[in-house]
Amino acid sequence: MPYQFECSQGNCQFRIRSSSEVEVKRLVRAHVRMTHGTRIAQADIDRGIERIELA
Ligand SMILES: [Zn+2]
């Protein structure tokens, strides 16, 4: 079951989906750092990650 994360900062449309939770976390951190110039707390990543079922 893949993992998904939607960035909730401002009007950001960024969304990442991967079968690897580690990959999602890595890409989310990279996105927040590069796009928003800040860091995201581990707890916020954990809270934001959803497991999704493919239709
Ligand atoms: Zn974002």
Side-chain angles (χ1 to χ4, degrees), residues 10-21:
N11 296 320
C12 188
Q13 301 288 309
F14 175 82
R15 177 189 297 175
I16 179 74
R17 183 182 292 179
S18 172
S19 58
S20 165
E21 185 175 11

Side-chain angles (χ1 to χ4, degrees), residues 24-36:
V24 170
K25 290 181 177 179
R26 189 171 66 75
L27 292 171
V28 167
R29 278 198 211 92
H31 161 75
V32 171
R33 188 173 61 240
M34 290 188 296
T35 304
H36 303 295

